[in-house]
């Protein structure tokens, strides 16, 4: 992901971009700040900016001086070339990401390996970038092994230590790495990412408000909410398919209205997120009928449940149910009574 697509951290990213363009990047850096706010993403974007093969000519020293306007990023990756893509996938030979193994620690063997490689000139790129993610997991012996390299860095390499707990690192290591402090993200920035991923405005604001400025935390929480909504939708569909008795079906309507999760969603918002999940399941049931593979499903992780639903909702009934959900969503938007919509819907399924 290029610098320009990273959420927040505008000042730090400008700083890094200028340094990358002007060749003034320190050989080692410490990215500190809370988890889930984009430190590692920024480190990878820097690696891309340094090694992108499609940088326009004007990104060189020309643009660094007076020609660059305040808001511009003098060096940024294209995000599309082979180098950018390989860096994003973690398979570029000159961009190494070192992270804790199964033991939860970064051990000395991992360090010896990158220190050895850092001694050579880059194989393909212009600058080798070594990113230590969760650098606080470096065992003391590994930090000592790294120290010598940080003291006499090979000219073509940049070392970036990424951590939420910089104080855990040895003072000698910290003193070698200028520290960039990443701040928690603004709730509005987090909300805008969630909206881009298909959440409604008010849902996104509710999740963002409780995320402590961490986009990672917000994405996790919102994924949890979506999974919950989908569970409710699946149960209600199953319930409706099991019997025609209206009284029993109306039980299902109550479930659609049950508030779940910690978000501050209104009842209307809650019902509409259950209905959107239901529409998504019904669409997948249709997709299954065409024999398409998992990649075309919106909910491939619950394929067995979809197959079960398909027994009842394949064909005409599914199409009718999908249409009813759609009408219910429209009615909700037009301020129809929440309970009325839920009751009406379960009788149509
Ligand atoms: Zn590129």
């Amino acid at each position: 992901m290029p610098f320009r697509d990273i959420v927040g951290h505008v000042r730090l990213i400008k700083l890094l971009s200028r340094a990358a363009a002007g060749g003034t990047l320190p050989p080692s850096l410490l990215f500190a700040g809370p988890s889930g706010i984009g430190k590692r993403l920024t480190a990878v974007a820097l690696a891309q900016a340094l090694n992108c093969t499609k940088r326009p000519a004007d990104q060189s020293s020309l643009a660094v001086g007076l020609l660059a306007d305040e808001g511009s990023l003098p060096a940024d990756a294209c995000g599309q070339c082979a180098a950018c893509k390989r860096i994003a996938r973690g398979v570029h030979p000159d961009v190494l990401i070192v992270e804790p193994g199964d033991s939860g620690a970064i051990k000395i063997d991992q360090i010896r390996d990158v220190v050895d490689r850092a001694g050579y000139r880059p194989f393909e790129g212009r600058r080798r970038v070594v990113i230590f993610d969760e650098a606080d997991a470096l065992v003391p012996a590994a930090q000592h092994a790294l120290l010598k390299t940080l003291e006499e860095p090979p000219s073509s390499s940049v070392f970036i230590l990424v951590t939420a707990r910089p104080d855990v690192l040895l003072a000698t290591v910290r003193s070698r790495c200028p520290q960039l402090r990443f701040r928690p993200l603004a709730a509005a920035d987090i909300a805008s990412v969630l909206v881009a991923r298909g959440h409604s405005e008010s849902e996104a604001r509710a999740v963002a408000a409780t995320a402590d400025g961490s986009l990672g935390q917000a994405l996790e929480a919102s994924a949890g909410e979506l999974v919950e909504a989908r569970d409710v939708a699946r149960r209600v569909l199953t319930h409706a398919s099991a019997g025609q008795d209206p009284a029993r079906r109306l039980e299902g309507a109550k479930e659609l209205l049950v508030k779940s999760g910690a978000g501050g969603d209104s009842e209307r918002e809650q019902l509409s997120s259950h209905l959107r999940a239901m529409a998504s399941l019904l669409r997948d049931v249709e997709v299954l009928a065409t024999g398409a593979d998992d990649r075309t499903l919106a909910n491939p992780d619950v394929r067995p449940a979809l197959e079960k639903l398909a027994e009842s909702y394949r064909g005409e009934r599914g199409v009718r149910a999908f249409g009813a959900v759609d009408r219910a969503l429209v009615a909700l938007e037009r301020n129809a009574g929440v309970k009325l919509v839920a009751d009406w819907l379960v009788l149509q399924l």
Side-chain angles (χ1 to χ4, degrees):
M1 179 184 285
F3 282 141
R4 61 185 171 277
D5 292 338
I6 291 178
V7 178
H9 313 304
V10 176
R11 196 183 59 83
L12 290 184
I13 283 172
K14 247 186 240 173
L15 205 73
L16 288 168
S17 177
R18 289 213 186 105
T24 57
L25 206 62
S28 53
L29 284 164
L30 180 60
F31 287 7
S35 304
I37 59 172
K39 302 187 298 300
R40 174 175 167 154
L41 219 53
T42 304
V44 173
L46 177 59
Q48 287 180 319
L50 290 169
N51 287 300
C52 176
T53 55
K54 286 239 173 74
R55 291 201 309 175
D58 71 353
Q59 280 191 353
S60 61
S61 51
L62 244 187
V64 182
L66 295 171
L67 290 177
D69 73 72
E70 265 305 294
S72 76
L73 295 168
D76 198 4
C78 73
Q80 300 299 321
C81 71
C84 282
K85 283 185 174 163
R86 290 168 78 195
I87 292 169
R89 291 208 315 273
V91 295
H92 192 286
D94 297 312
V95 178
L96 312 174
I97 298 185
V98 183
E99 51 197 341
D102 293 337
S103 66
I106 301 177
K107 295 193 168 156
I108 190 159
D109 293 346
Q110 291 170 271
I111 300 306
R112 287 208 181 105
D113 186 44
V114 296
V115 165
D116 281 351
R117 284 215 248 173
Y120 296 95
R121 292 205 53 75
F123 297 113
E124 293 178 13
R126 290 186 298 275
R127 282 301 272 287
R128 178 172 291 111
V129 182
V130 185
I131 299 167
F132 299 91
D133 195 18
E134 297 181 45
D136 46 277
L138 281 157
V139 299
Q143 294 187 49
H144 281 294
L146 186 59
L147 197 53
K148 195 166 159 25
T149 306
L150 295 179
E151 280 165 354
E152 293 161 26
S155 60
S156 52
S157 293
V158 181
F159 296 87
I160 306 173
L161 281 66
V162 175
T163 177
R165 301 188 302 155
D167 302 345
V168 175
L169 293 167
L170 296 178
T172 42
V173 168
R174 260 181 290 142
S175 71
R176 298 288 160 199
C177 309
Q179 192 172 135
L180 298 190
R181 285 216 146 264
F182 286 67
R183 306 276 167 211
L185 295 168
D189 284 343
I190 294 177
S192 70
V193 174
L194 295 175
V195 167
R197 293 193 176 209
H199 289 274
S200 71
E201 283 275 353
S202 57
E203 233 173 36
R205 274 200 302 271
V207 174
T210 57
D212 287 334
S214 163
L215 181 56
Q217 199 176 311
L219 289 173
E220 222 168 81
S222 66
E225 288 196 357
L226 287 183
V227 166
E228 235 173 89
R230 196 174 61 178
D231 279 349
V232 170
R234 184 182 53 77
R235 281 201 300 275
V236 172
L237 282 171
T238 307
H239 200 83
S241 71
Q244 295 298 325
D245 177 13
R248 288 198 52 201
R249 283 180 169 231
L250 291 172
E251 285 296 306
K254 285 184 194 154
E255 193 166 7
L256 283 176
L257 296 173
V258 166
K259 259 180 90 60
S260 57
D265 297 354
S266 67
E267 204 176 28
R268 182 173 302 276
E269 199 59 54
Q270 183 81 32
L271 177 58
S272 87
S273 86
H274 287 152
L275 296 189
R276 283 197 302 270
M278 194 177 277
S280 166
L281 289 173
L282 288 166
R283 195 180 307 117
D284 273 357
V285 165
E286 290 309 304
V287 172
L288 270 188
T290 67
D293 65 17
D294 278 5
R295 272 172 308 176
T296 48
L297 294 174
N299 306 278
D301 54 316
V302 292
R303 189 177 178 119
L306 292 172
E307 280 165 356
K308 193 94 189 65
L309 286 173
E311 291 169 13
S312 308
Y313 291 99
R314 184 177 290 131
E316 202 193 320
R317 183 173 183 180
V319 174
R320 222 175 41 229
F322 185 84
V325 173
D326 199 39
R327 285 177 64 189
L329 280 166
V330 172
L332 278 179
E333 268 173 37
R334 292 183 182 160
N335 261 339
V338 171
K339 185 168 182 318
L340 197 71
V341 171
D343 284 350
W344 175 82
L345 177 70
V346 291
L347 295 174
Q348 311 300 313
L349 294 174

